[in-house]
Structure formats: C-alpha cells, structure tokens
Amino acid sequence: MSTLEAFVSGLPKAELHLHIEGSLEPEQMFEFARRNGVSLPYESVADIRAAYEFSDLQDFLDIYYTGMNVLLTEQDFYELTEAYLRRVAGDAVRHVEIFFDPQAHTSRGVEFETVINGVTRALKFVGHELGISSKLIMCFLRHLSEEDAFNALASAEPFLHMIDGVGLDSSELGHPPSKFANVFSRATELGLKKVAHAGEEGPAEYVYEAIDILKVDRIDHGNRSLESEVLVKRLAEEQIALTVCPLSNLKLRVVSRLQDHPMKSMLDAGLLATINSDDPSYFGGYINDNYTRLATALELTEGDLVQCAKNSFTGSFLPSEKVKQFHSEIDSYASRKHT
Ligand code: ADE
Ligand code: ZN
C-alpha cells in the first residue's frame, strides 16, 4: 500500500452521493437474476463489465435501469444495502446519506414499501453493527413528469419517518430543476431536506435553479458551476456543499482525463466540495478509490484530503455536535503517522 493509500484508508469520511442501485455488483446481479427468474442481456460477469463503457450520462442510465430489473424482493434491497455498507466500512466511512430511485421500481410493479423496508432494515441493523450512521434520500426521476414525482411523494407519505430528504436525478439535459418547483415546495412543507443533481452535464443555470427555485440544501455534482464566476462566489459565500464524483465524471466523460478534474479549483475557490462514488459498481471504484485516484491525478496534498473529509461531514445532514466530533477525529488521525 502506498503512503497515499494508507492515509486515505483510515481517514474518517462520510459518503453523501451514492445511488444504492448503482452499488449493484455484477456477481450480485447474476445471483438476484437467478433466484428471481429474471433474464439478463449478459452471458457472464466479464460480459457485464465489458458493457460498462459509457459515452455520456444517458448511455450509462440505459444500462443502470436495465441492471436494476433484477431487484424484486425486500431481501434483494436488504442484501444490496448490506453489501454496500460492508464494503465501505473498510474504507473508514462513518456516515452515509444514500439515494434510492423509487419510481424505477414502482414502474416495474415493485411496491414502494418493499424497497424502503429492505434498504432501511439494512441501514439500521448492519449500520449499527459496523458503526455507520445514515440518512436516506428518495430521488425523483427528472425524465418523468412532475405529476409522476408527486405520485412518488404520495407513496412515500406513510414512510416519512424513514426518509430524510428528496433529490433529483436521471437525465439532466432538457429537464431543468424548475420543472420540479411544485413538488420540491411540497417536500419543504413536509419538513424534508432537499438536494438535486445539477451541473453534471447541465449548465450553471441549472445550479442556480436548484438553489433559487428548489431551495436545495446542497448540489450533487455541480461541476459546471465553475463556468460562472458569480455562482462560484455565491457557493463559497453560502458554503453550499457540492457532492463531487471524480470516477463518475471520468466514466461519463464529464472530464476527459482525471488530470483535468476541477476539484483542485473548487477547493482553491473555498467551495465546500466533497468526494463521493455515485454508482461505484458501474464506475470502477468505491469512495477510497475516488480519493486516491483523484489525489494522484491532481497531486492533492494530505491537507487537501483532510479538507475533503471534513467537508463531507460539514455538508452532511448530521447535527453540528456530531460534525464537530468527526472533525476532531479527523484532526487527530491526520496528526498521527501513516505507513
Ligand atoms: N442516477 C444514477 N447516477 C446518476 C448520475 N450520475 N446522474 C444522474 N442520475 C443518476
Ligand atoms: Zn448521482
């Protein structure tokens, strides 16, 4: 293990941008397909991995929605979430705020209740065993209508005690945040936190809409914010967190090389930028792979990585006392020697 890998491996961190369906590993996809009698358009695990070459976000989403067809029972959602938690416990992840896409399941006849019960049971019991706390965010699929999002929110109402926030994901271009103004306003009335993918492929204008119209608490991705100096100033002043996903950006060709990734510029501008994995099984790495590969490509210092780890707690929905505790744990970790 290199010095960098050793430092990252024990650095306490939170993951704030993780689609649980995007943590479905090919081996598990085959297992669920077999036990549920679902046919897959792949012959083998190697065949699946070979299909994971994407030209853009939509190209990925088509494969992502096909992959999740194998998820049918509460046990599937439990095991999916359990596998993710066990994987990242080894990456010193101490807190997760995970997304799920209820409409991608209810549209296939899987009940909202089946999905949320499986995911939350694992978050509670496996999270407790591993010492990982969690929040759960349900995302609206932006390629569908606002009316469809309202229906999803109505299905969620009996389970609001299990849900911390709403998000907005799927095909960004042509589906601006303003399309969901009313349903986000309803989410505010219900006391939910709000986040939205913006500025991944879409323009800086979408980031403005997410902040000013949806009134989000943080921005998922946000890369293209850097195209507007005024927006960067605002994000810095208001310390609005960005949940940045380096390997996702590389695989979806938001950047052509990791050396061109904007994370260093974000940190230099004083943005509350965090490092996350997005859909790790599709993008070739979990959170620590994102930290180490980005640090190598951009020559980030241990100080930069400490800043990112601290930002992950500052930008989380944890209470401020917890955030302070994690910050001091990070400080004491960083002051020790790592080999
Ligand atoms: N759904 C899963 N991953 C996503 C991403 N990176 N952008 C938009 N929607 C997604
Ligand atoms: Zn995402």
Side-chain angles (χ1 to χ4, degrees):
M1 202 187 273
S2 68
T3 315
L4 169 66
E5 283 165 350
F7 183 75
V8 167
S9 76
L11 180 65
K13 55 184 79 66
E15 176 140 72
L16 306 181
H17 187 152
L18 180 282
H19 302 263
I20 196 64
E21 298 90 344
S23 71
L24 177 62
E25 289 288 342
E27 290 80 1
Q28 211 173 26
M29 194 188 288
F30 263 104
E31 189 189 331
F32 293 171
R34 188 170 19 83
R35 77 183 186 198
N36 291 333
V38 176
S39 66
L40 281 174
Y42 311 105
E43 294 287 317
S44 64
V45 165
D47 210 20
I48 298 189
R49 292 200 198 279
Y52 292 175
E53 283 299 326
F54 313 112
S55 52
D56 57 17
L57 174 59
Q58 191 58 51
D59 192 32
F60 154 69
L61 289 170
D62 294 340
I63 289 181
Y64 166 80
Y65 293 126
T66 304
M68 68 178 79
N69 283 337
V70 303
L71 300 167
L72 291 182
T73 67
E74 185 181 319
Q75 188 63 16
D76 297 338
F77 288 95
Y78 176 87
E79 289 178 25
L80 175 72
T81 310
E82 176 185 26
Y84 165 70
L85 290 171
R86 295 202 184 282
R87 174 64 185 76
V88 298
D91 280 0
V93 168
R94 309 291 302 279
H95 176 71
V96 296
E97 301 196 349
I98 70 175
F99 301 136
F100 72 113
D101 285 332
Q103 292 156 291
H105 309 302
T106 52
S107 64
R108 301 181 289 114
V110 179
E111 299 284 347
F112 188 97
E113 185 177 5
T114 303
V115 182
I116 197 158
N117 283 345
V119 172
T120 51
R121 191 155 54 86
L123 289 177
K124 183 171 172 196
F125 293 106
V126 183
H128 182 261
E129 176 199 328
L130 300 171
I132 301 176
S133 56
S134 60
K135 305 273 179 195
L136 185 59
I137 299 171
M138 65 173 269
C139 289
F140 301 122
L141 298 182
R142 69 202 303 160
H143 66 274
L144 301 177
S145 66
E146 187 181 49
E147 190 190 348
D148 217 310
F150 264 113
N151 291 337
L153 192 53
S155 313
E157 289 212 16
F159 306 97
L160 284 183
H161 57 289
M162 299 165 154
I163 299 172
D164 300 284
V166 296
L168 186 65
D169 66 0
S170 196
S171 323
E172 187 180 7
L173 287 169
H175 302 286
S178 50
K179 179 178 163 186
F180 296 90
N182 298 309
V183 75
F184 269 69
S185 155
R186 175 73 187 135
T188 307
E189 286 168 9
L190 293 171
L192 292 164
K193 296 281 188 193
K194 286 160 291 159
V195 300
H197 284 53
E200 180 184 18
E201 285 189 345
E205 184 55 33
Y206 284 19
V207 178
Y208 272 117
E209 284 193 10
I211 297 170
D212 291 327
I213 300 176
L214 304 188
K215 313 246 182 270
V216 295
D217 298 284
R218 62 184 184 233
I219 295 287
D220 297 313
H221 295 293
N223 299 47
R224 291 191 61 192
S225 308
L226 295 186
E227 292 171 19
S228 162
E229 245 177 71
V230 182
L231 177 57
V232 169
K233 240 181 119 203
R234 173 140 180 233
L235 292 170
E237 270 168 21
E238 298 181 21
Q239 287 291 280
I240 297 172
L242 302 183
T243 64
V244 182
C245 306
L247 291 177
S248 163
N249 294 157
L250 182 65
K251 288 293 272 187
L252 301 188
R253 307 191 191 202
V254 168
V255 295
S256 41
R257 310 177 311 156
L258 270 186
Q259 289 93 318
D260 301 328
H261 195 277
M263 178 57 84
K264 185 71 182 145
S265 313
M266 288 172 170
L267 293 174
D268 288 346
L271 302 189
L272 197 68
T274 64
I275 298 177
N276 308 271
S277 69
D278 205 2
D279 302 283
S281 105
Y282 291 90
F283 300 148
Y286 283 77
I287 190 164
N288 283 6
D289 304 309
N290 276 273
Y291 270 75
T292 50
R293 289 193 53 195
L294 188 68
T296 305
L298 298 182
E299 300 182 5
L300 298 181
T301 63
E302 286 188 0
D304 293 327
L305 297 176
V306 161
Q307 187 64 57
C308 290
K310 284 189 171 174
N311 289 352
S312 73
F313 291 104
T314 312
S316 76
F317 297 140
L318 284 169
S320 57
E321 323 81 72
K322 281 262 174 213
V323 172
K324 268 194 215 135
Q325 268 176 30
F326 281 118
H327 283 184
S328 23
E329 254 187 67
I330 292 172
D331 283 332
S332 73
Y333 175 81
S335 66
R336 297 199 294 270
K337 242 198 132 14
H338 305 277
T339 49

